[in-house]
């Protein structure tokens, strides 16, 4: 059929068509190749970030070996470096942030999906998302000038009165007298100094609340209305529907959202740099000053030379690997939800 | 017995409701607190010199060079990230269907989206700052170009993701109609699909711009900062977030006031951008229906 039609067409036109087809095919292939090259840049950026920090950190890894991970020394004057204090600070601040951010985010998501009247949901969720839009340097400033003094005058004295062996009000609490070791976690050399690991954790908590709560809200909305209504019909209260139906249904994705927040908290620089104190003494106390990997890099990179610069690169590599793994877990858990939605 | 069970359940429920409302209150309280401090302290520091004088004058100066620097860095970042991001997103949405690379890159892009920006800054330091220092015998070290590239790396995943998502929203019938007319695929992609998803892609670019305008950490390692006005992208370049960082650390309260004023300008800019992005996006939704 096609052959009979084309045999009536003059040969020049046929040749033209063939040439055009060839041109289109070639252009298509070029175009697809160009697009693919751009997509591969994403891959290259991730691999590049890992290899470049590992490469420039090789001196530190070679000099200190495995001891780099376990040494608590960070001493530019004697050129001794160990990752323990910044790694501990990073993990501790992120965990403190999660302890506060997860319940609050859960409450917000619960409010936005089950409790709030419809007209209130839009404005409140926009407002919470606004919190995510504020640049982290603003969190840092607010933390340093406003929140740290507030911690120093209000939160810290309260914590020390109840949990430390050296309380400002002089009365050692029952808890401290009877629970061993607890005072170690709440001691402070400078009781009236607001900066510290705990303060940094609180600022991080505020920062990651919008991320975790928006994931939770989104996944809560994926629960089929049928399922919830069946539970309501059986006489469940709102709380029982949420706790026994919504949460089990969305568990993986909720954990994914929490890991997403954790990934953010681990890698945050500016909000932490001002409020953590930037000291390198090893301490179990969360009320003491400390440092995180990101804050150490931001503070010292400008003046660092030689081995110190290499050590900074080396801890950056550690940070990248850890956040990569955390985010990988987060995305894997969230992806399962996406396939569930699709089916 | 059953009455008491009922009461316990009700108490539990009411308690959960109260805690949930309280949690929302806490979130909103912190938002209001941070915005209020930025507004009140920032407006107190506003003065004309802020926009006309450079940071070299310290207390008597302003932030003009920082704002210009930020503008240049953001423009470089967006100019690099937009074409690459849109093309990468297009590949993911349109071309990766039969390859296993597609889902992998989409997945890794999501990770890049929340990767620590300071490490990305160190990456750009390694591949741009160090080589340029070596090639020019130290004439060019930290530079606006390096800062712009670092910002581009942060903007890239945002643009890739929105482009990918927006293109996948374009109905398949549009593709089939064009292909059945004999349009080559590249033409279909450029002239039909990207045009159909245009406002969504613009939203992505605006969101990316909002995100990079507030970035500080990578700029400390790439653009470094400069107390003078510079338009040369090969110079060390100041930026608003970096000056805010330095001025916040400064012991002088007058300098801190300038930092607050800068924070006010920066926050207003970023929030306005996200509002515009939302507006563009809501319009795009209407036009799709």
């Amino acid at each position: 059929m096609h052959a009979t039609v084309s045999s009536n067409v003059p040969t020049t036109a046929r040749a033209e068509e063939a040439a055009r087809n060839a041109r289109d095919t070639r252009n298509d292939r070029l175009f697809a190749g160009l697009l693919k090259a751009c997509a591969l840049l994403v891959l290259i950026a991730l691999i590049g970030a890992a290899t470049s920090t590992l490469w420039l950190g090789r001196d530190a890894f070679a000099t200190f070996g495995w001891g780099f991970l376990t040494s608590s020394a960070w001493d530019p004057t004697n050129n001794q470096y160990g990752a323990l204090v910044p790694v501990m600070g990073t993990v501790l601040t992120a965990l403190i942030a999660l302890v506060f951010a997860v319940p609050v985010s859960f409450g917000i998501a619960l409010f936005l999906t089950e409790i709030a009247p419809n007209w209130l949901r839009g404005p409140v969720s926009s407002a919470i998302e606004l919190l995510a839009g504020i640049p982290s340097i603003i969190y840092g400033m607010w933390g340093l000038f406003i929140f740290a003094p507030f911690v120093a005058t209000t939160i810290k004295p309260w914590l020390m009165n109840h949990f430390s062996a050296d309380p400002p009000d002089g009365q050692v609490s029952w808890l401290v007298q009877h629970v061993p070791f607890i005072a170690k976690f709440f001691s402070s050399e400078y009781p009236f100094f607001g900066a510290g690991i705990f303060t940094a954790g609180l600022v991080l908590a505020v920062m990651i609340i919008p991320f975790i709560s928006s994931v939770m809200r989104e996944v809560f909305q994926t629960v089929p209305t049928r399922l919830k209504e069946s539970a309501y019909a059986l006489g469940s209260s709102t709380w029982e529907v949420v706790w026994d139906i919504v949460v089990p249904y969305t568990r993986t994705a909720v954990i994914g959202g929490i890991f997403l927040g954790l990934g953010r908290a681990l890698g945050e620089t500016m909000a932490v740099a001002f409020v953590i104190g930037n000291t390198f003494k090893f301490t179990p106390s969360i009320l003491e000053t400390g440092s995180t990997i990101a804050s150490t890099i931001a503070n010292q990179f400008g003046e660092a030379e030689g081995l110190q610069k290499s050590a900074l690169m080396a801890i950056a590599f550690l940070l990248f690997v850890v956040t990569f793994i955390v985010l990988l877990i987060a995305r894997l858990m969230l992806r399962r939800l996406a396939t569930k939605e699709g089916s | 017995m059953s009455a008491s069970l009922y009461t316990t359940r009700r108490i539990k429920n009411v308690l959960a409701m109260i805690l949930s409302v309280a949690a929302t209150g806490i979130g909103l309280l912190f938002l209001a607190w941070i915005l209020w401090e930025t507004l009140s302290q920032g407006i107190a520091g506003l003065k004309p010199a802020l926009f006309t004088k450079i940071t070299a004058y310290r207390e008597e100066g302003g932030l003009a060079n920082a704002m210009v620097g930020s503008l240049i860095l953001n423009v470089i970042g967006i100019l690099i990230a937009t074409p690459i991001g849109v093309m990468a997103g297009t590949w993911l949405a349109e071309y990766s269907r039969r390859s296993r690379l597609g889902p992998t890159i989409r997945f890794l892009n999501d990770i890049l989206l929340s990767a620590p920006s300071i490490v990305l800054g160190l990456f750009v330091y390694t591949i741009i700052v160090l080589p340029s220092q070596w090639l020019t015998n130290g004439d060019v070290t930290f530079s606006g170009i390096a800062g712009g590239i670092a910002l581009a790396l942060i903007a890239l995943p945002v643009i890739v993701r929105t482009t990918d998502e927006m293109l996948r929203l374009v109905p398949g019938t549009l593709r089939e109609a064009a292909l059945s007319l004999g349009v080559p695929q590249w033409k279909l992609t450029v002239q039909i699909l990207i045009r159909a998803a245009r406002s969504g892609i613009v939203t992505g670019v605006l969101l990316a711009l909002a995100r990079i305008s507030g970035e500080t950490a990578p700029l400390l390692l790439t653009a470094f900062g400069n107390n003078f006005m510079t338009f040369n992208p090969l110079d060390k370049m100041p930026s608003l977030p970096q000056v805010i960082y330095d001025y916040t650390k400064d012991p002088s309260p007058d300098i801190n006031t300038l930092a607050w004023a800068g924070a006010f300008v920066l926050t207003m800019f970023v929030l306005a951008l996200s509002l515009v992005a939302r507006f563009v996006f809501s319009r795009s939704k209407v036009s799709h229906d």
Side-chain angles (χ1 to χ4, degrees), chain A residues 28 31 43 107 111 129 133 146 235 239-240 309 316 328, chain B residues 9 13 16 20 24 95 107-108 122 125 185-186 270 278:
Chain A
D28 260 347
F31 188 66
L43 203 68
F111 180 78
E129 268 161 36
I146 314 290
W239 170 248
E240 285 163 349
K309 193 167 250 177
L328 193 77
Chain B
R9 287 178 58 207
N13 190 41
S20 160
T24 313
Y95 287 83
F107 188 79
L108 290 177
L122 284 177
Y125 172 83
Q185 195 168 7
W186 70 268
V270 171
R278 251 162 211 258

PDB file of all heavy atoms in Angstrom, chain A residues 28 31 43 107 111 129 133 146 235 239-240 309 316 328, chain B residues 9 13 16 20 24 95 107-108 122 125 185-186 270 278:
ATOM      1  N   ASP A  28      17.683  13.850  16.679  1.00  0.00           N
ATOM      2  CA  ASP A  28      17.088  13.201  17.840  1.00  0.00           C
ATOM      3  C   ASP A  28      18.142  12.547  18.705  1.00  0.00           C
ATOM      4  O   ASP A  28      18.123  12.651  19.928  1.00  0.00           O
ATOM      5  CB  ASP A  28      16.083  12.130  17.385  1.00  0.00           C
ATOM      6  CG  ASP A  28      14.651  12.662  17.476  1.00  0.00           C
ATOM      7  OD1 ASP A  28      14.477  13.717  18.105  1.00  0.00           O
ATOM      8  OD2 ASP A  28      13.750  12.027  16.913  1.00  0.00           O
ATOM      9  N   PHE A  31      20.224  15.195  20.428  1.00  0.00           N
ATOM     10  CA  PHE A  31      19.433  15.824  21.487  1.00  0.00           C
ATOM     11  C   PHE A  31      19.358  14.909  22.708  1.00  0.00           C
ATOM     12  O   PHE A  31      19.612  15.335  23.841  1.00  0.00           O
ATOM     13  CB  PHE A  31      18.030  16.117  20.944  1.00  0.00           C
ATOM     14  CG  PHE A  31      17.171  16.922  21.867  1.00  0.00           C
ATOM     15  CD1 PHE A  31      17.498  18.228  22.170  1.00  0.00           C
ATOM     16  CD2 PHE A  31      16.022  16.377  22.412  1.00  0.00           C
ATOM     17  CE1 PHE A  31      16.692  18.983  23.004  1.00  0.00           C
ATOM     18  CE2 PHE A  31      15.216  17.127  23.250  1.00  0.00           C
ATOM     19  CZ  PHE A  31      15.551  18.435  23.549  1.00  0.00           C
ATOM     20  N   LEU A  43      24.864  12.732  38.831  1.00  0.00           N
ATOM     21  CA  LEU A  43      25.684  11.623  39.312  1.00  0.00           C
ATOM     22  C   LEU A  43      27.110  12.093  39.595  1.00  0.00           C
ATOM     23  O   LEU A  43      27.694  11.795  40.641  1.00  0.00           O
ATOM     24  CB  LEU A  43      25.695  10.543  38.220  1.00  0.00           C
ATOM     25  CG  LEU A  43      25.986   9.123  38.607  1.00  0.00           C
ATOM     26  CD1 LEU A  43      24.849   8.583  39.435  1.00  0.00           C
ATOM     27  CD2 LEU A  43      26.150   8.282  37.350  1.00  0.00           C
ATOM     28  N   GLY A 107       2.407  16.297  65.760  1.00  0.00           N
ATOM     29  CA  GLY A 107       1.248  17.065  66.216  1.00  0.00           C
ATOM     30  C   GLY A 107       0.738  17.988  65.123  1.00  0.00           C
ATOM     31  O   GLY A 107      -0.471  18.084  64.891  1.00  0.00           O
ATOM     32  N   PHE A 111      -2.809  17.804  63.360  1.00  0.00           N
ATOM     33  CA  PHE A 111      -3.693  18.965  63.364  1.00  0.00           C
ATOM     34  C   PHE A 111      -4.167  19.286  61.945  1.00  0.00           C
ATOM     35  O   PHE A 111      -5.348  19.525  61.714  1.00  0.00           O
ATOM     36  CB  PHE A 111      -2.949  20.167  63.958  1.00  0.00           C
ATOM     37  CG  PHE A 111      -3.759  21.432  64.004  1.00  0.00           C
ATOM     38  CD1 PHE A 111      -4.708  21.629  64.986  1.00  0.00           C
ATOM     39  CD2 PHE A 111      -3.569  22.429  63.053  1.00  0.00           C
ATOM     40  CE1 PHE A 111      -5.460  22.791  65.029  1.00  0.00           C
ATOM     41  CE2 PHE A 111      -4.320  23.599  63.086  1.00  0.00           C
ATOM     42  CZ  PHE A 111      -5.262  23.777  64.077  1.00  0.00           C
ATOM     43  N   GLU A 129       5.238  26.045  56.266  1.00  0.00           N
ATOM     44  CA  GLU A 129       6.196  25.918  55.169  1.00  0.00           C
ATOM     45  C   GLU A 129       7.069  27.159  55.033  1.00  0.00           C
ATOM     46  O   GLU A 129       8.203  27.080  54.567  1.00  0.00           O
ATOM     47  CB  GLU A 129       5.464  25.628  53.859  1.00  0.00           C
ATOM     48  CG  GLU A 129       5.354  24.139  53.605  1.00  0.00           C
ATOM     49  CD  GLU A 129       4.278  23.799  52.599  1.00  0.00           C
ATOM     50  OE1 GLU A 129       4.099  24.573  51.653  1.00  0.00           O
ATOM     51  OE2 GLU A 129       3.625  22.751  52.770  1.00  0.00           O
ATOM     52  N   GLY A 133      11.299  28.260  54.437  1.00  0.00           N
ATOM     53  CA  GLY A 133      11.850  29.182  53.459  1.00  0.00           C
ATOM     54  C   GLY A 133      12.830  30.175  54.045  1.00  0.00           C
ATOM     55  O   GLY A 133      13.605  30.787  53.317  1.00  0.00           O
ATOM     56  N   ILE A 146      19.078  36.096  70.104  1.00  0.00           N
ATOM     57  CA  ILE A 146      17.797  36.042  70.815  1.00  0.00           C
ATOM     58  C   ILE A 146      17.636  34.737  71.603  1.00  0.00           C
ATOM     59  O   ILE A 146      17.347  34.745  72.787  1.00  0.00           O
ATOM     60  CB  ILE A 146      16.606  36.160  69.817  1.00  0.00           C
ATOM     61  CG1 ILE A 146      16.854  37.280  68.818  1.00  0.00           C
ATOM     62  CG2 ILE A 146      15.304  36.319  70.571  1.00  0.00           C
ATOM     63  CD1 ILE A 146      16.799  38.658  69.364  1.00  0.00           C
ATOM     64  N   GLY A 235     -16.725   3.289  65.926  1.00  0.00           N
ATOM     65  CA  GLY A 235     -16.737   4.021  67.185  1.00  0.00           C
ATOM     66  C   GLY A 235     -15.369   4.504  67.659  1.00  0.00           C
ATOM     67  O   GLY A 235     -15.223   4.874  68.816  1.00  0.00           O
ATOM     68  N   TRP A 239      -8.134  10.111  67.888  1.00  0.00           N
ATOM     69  CA  TRP A 239      -6.807   9.676  68.268  1.00  0.00           C
ATOM     70  C   TRP A 239      -6.594   8.207  67.914  1.00  0.00           C
ATOM     71  O   TRP A 239      -5.537   7.814  67.421  1.00  0.00           O
ATOM     72  CB  TRP A 239      -6.575   9.911  69.758  1.00  0.00           C
ATOM     73  CG  TRP A 239      -5.319   9.271  70.258  1.00  0.00           C
ATOM     74  CD1 TRP A 239      -5.224   8.225  71.107  1.00  0.00           C
ATOM     75  CD2 TRP A 239      -3.983   9.629  69.895  1.00  0.00           C
ATOM     76  NE1 TRP A 239      -3.914   7.892  71.314  1.00  0.00           N
ATOM     77  CE2 TRP A 239      -3.124   8.744  70.579  1.00  0.00           C
ATOM     78  CE3 TRP A 239      -3.433  10.605  69.057  1.00  0.00           C
ATOM     79  CZ2 TRP A 239      -1.739   8.807  70.462  1.00  0.00           C
ATOM     80  CZ3 TRP A 239      -2.050  10.667  68.937  1.00  0.00           C
ATOM     81  CH2 TRP A 239      -1.223   9.773  69.635  1.00  0.00           C
ATOM     82  N   GLU A 240      -7.630   7.394  68.158  1.00  0.00           N
ATOM     83  CA  GLU A 240      -7.491   5.961  67.852  1.00  0.00           C
ATOM     84  C   GLU A 240      -7.367   5.729  66.358  1.00  0.00           C
ATOM     85  O   GLU A 240      -6.617   4.861  65.910  1.00  0.00           O
ATOM     86  CB  GLU A 240      -8.685   5.193  68.425  1.00  0.00           C
ATOM     87  CG  GLU A 240      -8.585   5.033  69.934  1.00  0.00           C
ATOM     88  CD  GLU A 240      -9.901   4.664  70.584  1.00  0.00           C
ATOM     89  OE1 GLU A 240     -10.953   4.725  69.914  1.00  0.00           O
ATOM     90  OE2 GLU A 240      -9.875   4.324  71.772  1.00  0.00           O
ATOM     91  N   LYS A 309      43.839  21.751  56.874  1.00  0.00           N
ATOM     92  CA  LYS A 309      42.902  21.781  55.755  1.00  0.00           C
ATOM     93  C   LYS A 309      42.530  20.357  55.346  1.00  0.00           C
ATOM     94  O   LYS A 309      41.368  20.054  55.063  1.00  0.00           O
ATOM     95  CB  LYS A 309      43.543  22.524  54.578  1.00  0.00           C
ATOM     96  CG  LYS A 309      42.560  22.884  53.502  1.00  0.00           C
ATOM     97  CD  LYS A 309      43.168  23.873  52.518  1.00  0.00           C
ATOM     98  CE  LYS A 309      42.536  25.229  52.651  1.00  0.00           C
ATOM     99  NZ  LYS A 309      43.078  26.258  51.807  1.00  0.00           N
ATOM    100  N   ALA A 316      34.766  16.440  56.356  1.00  0.00           N
ATOM    101  CA  ALA A 316      33.706  16.708  55.372  1.00  0.00           C
ATOM    102  C   ALA A 316      33.324  15.419  54.659  1.00  0.00           C
ATOM    103  O   ALA A 316      32.151  15.150  54.396  1.00  0.00           O
ATOM    104  CB  ALA A 316      34.164  17.752  54.359  1.00  0.00           C
ATOM    105  N   LEU A 328      19.763   8.195  51.869  1.00  0.00           N
ATOM    106  CA  LEU A 328      19.453   7.005  51.069  1.00  0.00           C
ATOM    107  C   LEU A 328      18.330   6.207  51.737  1.00  0.00           C
ATOM    108  O   LEU A 328      17.351   5.823  51.094  1.00  0.00           O
ATOM    109  CB  LEU A 328      20.714   6.147  50.949  1.00  0.00           C
ATOM    110  CG  LEU A 328      20.705   5.036  49.919  1.00  0.00           C
ATOM    111  CD1 LEU A 328      20.914   5.635  48.553  1.00  0.00           C
ATOM    112  CD2 LEU A 328      21.786   4.021  50.206  1.00  0.00           C
TER     113      LEU A 328
ATOM    114  N   ARG B   9     -10.786   6.516  77.174  1.00  0.00           N
ATOM    115  CA  ARG B   9     -10.595   6.740  75.744  1.00  0.00           C
ATOM    116  C   ARG B   9     -10.852   8.194  75.386  1.00  0.00           C
ATOM    117  O   ARG B   9     -10.144   8.785  74.589  1.00  0.00           O
ATOM    118  CB  ARG B   9     -11.541   5.836  74.941  1.00  0.00           C
ATOM    119  CG  ARG B   9     -11.115   4.373  74.961  1.00  0.00           C
ATOM    120  CD  ARG B   9     -12.091   3.513  74.215  1.00  0.00           C
ATOM    121  NE  ARG B   9     -12.259   3.935  72.838  1.00  0.00           N
ATOM    122  CZ  ARG B   9     -13.365   3.732  72.126  1.00  0.00           C
ATOM    123  NH1 ARG B   9     -14.398   3.121  72.665  1.00  0.00           N
ATOM    124  NH2 ARG B   9     -13.441   4.145  70.892  1.00  0.00           N
ATOM    125  N   ASN B  13      -8.231  10.944  73.962  1.00  0.00           N
ATOM    126  CA  ASN B  13      -8.506  11.639  72.714  1.00  0.00           C
ATOM    127  C   ASN B  13      -8.373  13.146  72.886  1.00  0.00           C
ATOM    128  O   ASN B  13      -7.689  13.813  72.109  1.00  0.00           O
ATOM    129  CB  ASN B  13      -9.923  11.270  72.241  1.00  0.00           C
ATOM    130  CG  ASN B  13     -10.178  11.757  70.838  1.00  0.00           C
ATOM    131  OD1 ASN B  13      -9.295  11.660  69.992  1.00  0.00           O
ATOM    132  ND2 ASN B  13     -11.348  12.301  70.596  1.00  0.00           N
ATOM    133  N   ALA B  16      -4.814  14.144  73.266  1.00  0.00           N
ATOM    134  CA  ALA B  16      -4.092  14.129  71.984  1.00  0.00           C
ATOM    135  C   ALA B  16      -4.432  15.364  71.168  1.00  0.00           C
ATOM    136  O   ALA B  16      -3.550  15.995  70.570  1.00  0.00           O
ATOM    137  CB  ALA B  16      -4.442  12.865  71.207  1.00  0.00           C
ATOM    138  N   SER B  20      -1.814  18.201  70.042  1.00  0.00           N
ATOM    139  CA  SER B  20      -1.633  18.479  68.625  1.00  0.00           C
ATOM    140  C   SER B  20      -1.786  19.971  68.333  1.00  0.00           C
ATOM    141  O   SER B  20      -0.991  20.563  67.596  1.00  0.00           O
ATOM    142  CB  SER B  20      -2.641  17.655  67.833  1.00  0.00           C
ATOM    143  OG  SER B  20      -2.819  18.196  66.569  1.00  0.00           O
ATOM    144  N   THR B  24       1.132  22.649  66.972  1.00  0.00           N
ATOM    145  CA  THR B  24       0.971  23.624  65.897  1.00  0.00           C
ATOM    146  C   THR B  24       1.257  25.023  66.414  1.00  0.00           C
ATOM    147  O   THR B  24       1.918  25.830  65.750  1.00  0.00           O
ATOM    148  CB  THR B  24      -0.459  23.552  65.332  1.00  0.00           C
ATOM    149  OG1 THR B  24      -0.784  22.183  65.102  1.00  0.00           O
ATOM    150  CG2 THR B  24      -0.576  24.327  64.046  1.00  0.00           C
ATOM    151  N   TYR B  95      13.018  10.584  28.315  1.00  0.00           N
ATOM    152  CA  TYR B  95      13.913   9.665  27.620  1.00  0.00           C
ATOM    153  C   TYR B  95      14.351   8.465  28.442  1.00  0.00           C
ATOM    154  O   TYR B  95      14.935   7.542  27.911  1.00  0.00           O
ATOM    155  CB  TYR B  95      15.169  10.413  27.147  1.00  0.00           C
ATOM    156  CG  TYR B  95      14.909  11.317  25.977  1.00  0.00           C
ATOM    157  CD1 TYR B  95      14.397  12.598  26.162  1.00  0.00           C
ATOM    158  CD2 TYR B  95      15.166  10.893  24.675  1.00  0.00           C
ATOM    159  CE1 TYR B  95      14.150  13.434  25.096  1.00  0.00           C
ATOM    160  CE2 TYR B  95      14.921  11.724  23.594  1.00  0.00           C
ATOM    161  CZ  TYR B  95      14.417  12.986  23.815  1.00  0.00           C
ATOM    162  OH  TYR B  95      14.169  13.799  22.750  1.00  0.00           O
ATOM    163  N   PHE B 107      16.539   9.175  41.760  1.00  0.00           N
ATOM    164  CA  PHE B 107      16.744   8.863  43.167  1.00  0.00           C
ATOM    165  C   PHE B 107      17.923   9.665  43.736  1.00  0.00           C
ATOM    166  O   PHE B 107      17.828  10.294  44.789  1.00  0.00           O
ATOM    167  CB  PHE B 107      17.009   7.360  43.275  1.00  0.00           C
ATOM    168  CG  PHE B 107      17.057   6.846  44.667  1.00  0.00           C
ATOM    169  CD1 PHE B 107      15.885   6.613  45.367  1.00  0.00           C
ATOM    170  CD2 PHE B 107      18.260   6.586  45.273  1.00  0.00           C
ATOM    171  CE1 PHE B 107      15.930   6.134  46.656  1.00  0.00           C
ATOM    172  CE2 PHE B 107      18.311   6.103  46.563  1.00  0.00           C
ATOM    173  CZ  PHE B 107      17.142   5.876  47.258  1.00  0.00           C
ATOM    174  N   LEU B 108      19.048   9.658  42.999  1.00  0.00           N
ATOM    175  CA  LEU B 108      20.237  10.367  43.477  1.00  0.00           C
ATOM    176  C   LEU B 108      20.010  11.877  43.477  1.00  0.00           C
ATOM    177  O   LEU B 108      20.546  12.592  44.316  1.00  0.00           O
ATOM    178  CB  LEU B 108      21.439  10.019  42.602  1.00  0.00           C
ATOM    179  CG  LEU B 108      21.933   8.592  42.779  1.00  0.00           C
ATOM    180  CD1 LEU B 108      23.075   8.305  41.811  1.00  0.00           C
ATOM    181  CD2 LEU B 108      22.401   8.359  44.207  1.00  0.00           C
ATOM    182  N   LEU B 122      32.882  22.587  49.248  1.00  0.00           N
ATOM    183  CA  LEU B 122      34.244  22.052  49.236  1.00  0.00           C
ATOM    184  C   LEU B 122      34.562  21.387  47.898  1.00  0.00           C
ATOM    185  O   LEU B 122      35.697  21.461  47.408  1.00  0.00           O
ATOM    186  CB  LEU B 122      34.415  21.027  50.360  1.00  0.00           C
ATOM    187  CG  LEU B 122      34.563  21.605  51.764  1.00  0.00           C
ATOM    188  CD1 LEU B 122      34.661  20.492  52.789  1.00  0.00           C
ATOM    189  CD2 LEU B 122      35.782  22.494  51.852  1.00  0.00           C
ATOM    190  N   TYR B 125      35.342  24.103  45.585  1.00  0.00           N
ATOM    191  CA  TYR B 125      36.677  24.584  45.959  1.00  0.00           C
ATOM    192  C   TYR B 125      37.754  23.719  45.313  1.00  0.00           C
ATOM    193  O   TYR B 125      38.730  24.209  44.776  1.00  0.00           O
ATOM    194  CB  TYR B 125      36.807  24.558  47.488  1.00  0.00           C
ATOM    195  CG  TYR B 125      38.198  24.860  47.992  1.00  0.00           C
ATOM    196  CD1 TYR B 125      38.628  26.171  48.127  1.00  0.00           C
ATOM    197  CD2 TYR B 125      39.078  23.828  48.323  1.00  0.00           C
ATOM    198  CE1 TYR B 125      39.898  26.461  48.569  1.00  0.00           C
ATOM    199  CE2 TYR B 125      40.347  24.108  48.772  1.00  0.00           C
ATOM    200  CZ  TYR B 125      40.758  25.424  48.894  1.00  0.00           C
ATOM    201  OH  TYR B 125      42.021  25.697  49.332  1.00  0.00           O
ATOM    202  N   GLN B 185      11.207  13.817  17.751  1.00  0.00           N
ATOM    203  CA  GLN B 185      11.015  13.895  19.200  1.00  0.00           C
ATOM    204  C   GLN B 185      11.651  15.126  19.828  1.00  0.00           C
ATOM    205  O   GLN B 185      11.121  15.681  20.782  1.00  0.00           O
ATOM    206  CB  GLN B 185      11.541  12.618  19.867  1.00  0.00           C
ATOM    207  CG  GLN B 185      11.018  12.532  21.285  1.00  0.00           C
ATOM    208  CD  GLN B 185      11.244  11.177  21.905  1.00  0.00           C
ATOM    209  OE1 GLN B 185      11.898  10.323  21.333  1.00  0.00           O
ATOM    210  NE2 GLN B 185      10.710  10.995  23.089  1.00  0.00           N
ATOM    211  N   TRP B 186      12.792  15.547  19.294  1.00  0.00           N
ATOM    212  CA  TRP B 186      13.426  16.726  19.903  1.00  0.00           C
ATOM    213  C   TRP B 186      12.545  17.952  19.740  1.00  0.00           C
ATOM    214  O   TRP B 186      12.432  18.779  20.628  1.00  0.00           O
ATOM    215  CB  TRP B 186      14.821  16.946  19.331  1.00  0.00           C
ATOM    216  CG  TRP B 186      14.866  17.394  17.897  1.00  0.00           C
ATOM    217  CD1 TRP B 186      14.952  16.583  16.801  1.00  0.00           C
ATOM    218  CD2 TRP B 186      14.807  18.738  17.407  1.00  0.00           C
ATOM    219  NE1 TRP B 186      14.952  17.341  15.656  1.00  0.00           N
ATOM    220  CE2 TRP B 186      14.875  18.671  16.003  1.00  0.00           C
ATOM    221  CE3 TRP B 186      14.720  19.993  18.022  1.00  0.00           C
ATOM    222  CZ2 TRP B 186      14.845  19.797  15.197  1.00  0.00           C
ATOM    223  CZ3 TRP B 186      14.694  21.120  17.217  1.00  0.00           C
ATOM    224  CH2 TRP B 186      14.755  21.022  15.823  1.00  0.00           C
ATOM    225  N   VAL B 270      13.778  36.611  49.897  1.00  0.00           N
ATOM    226  CA  VAL B 270      13.528  35.171  49.754  1.00  0.00           C
ATOM    227  C   VAL B 270      12.038  34.859  49.887  1.00  0.00           C
ATOM    228  O   VAL B 270      11.472  34.105  49.083  1.00  0.00           O
ATOM    229  CB  VAL B 270      14.345  34.384  50.809  1.00  0.00           C
ATOM    230  CG1 VAL B 270      13.942  32.935  50.831  1.00  0.00           C
ATOM    231  CG2 VAL B 270      15.824  34.509  50.516  1.00  0.00           C
ATOM    232  N   ARG B 278       4.809  30.674  44.116  1.00  0.00           N
ATOM    233  CA  ARG B 278       3.499  30.100  44.388  1.00  0.00           C
ATOM    234  C   ARG B 278       2.445  30.660  43.438  1.00  0.00           C
ATOM    235  O   ARG B 278       1.595  29.949  42.931  1.00  0.00           O
ATOM    236  CB  ARG B 278       3.065  30.464  45.802  1.00  0.00           C
ATOM    237  CG  ARG B 278       3.086  29.321  46.748  1.00  0.00           C
ATOM    238  CD  ARG B 278       3.077  29.897  48.142  1.00  0.00           C
ATOM    239  NE  ARG B 278       3.811  28.981  48.989  1.00  0.00           N
ATOM    240  CZ  ARG B 278       3.206  28.134  49.806  1.00  0.00           C
ATOM    241  NH1 ARG B 278       1.910  28.100  49.896  1.00  0.00           N
ATOM    242  NH2 ARG B 278       3.917  27.319  50.535  1.00  0.00           N
TER     243      ARG B 278
END
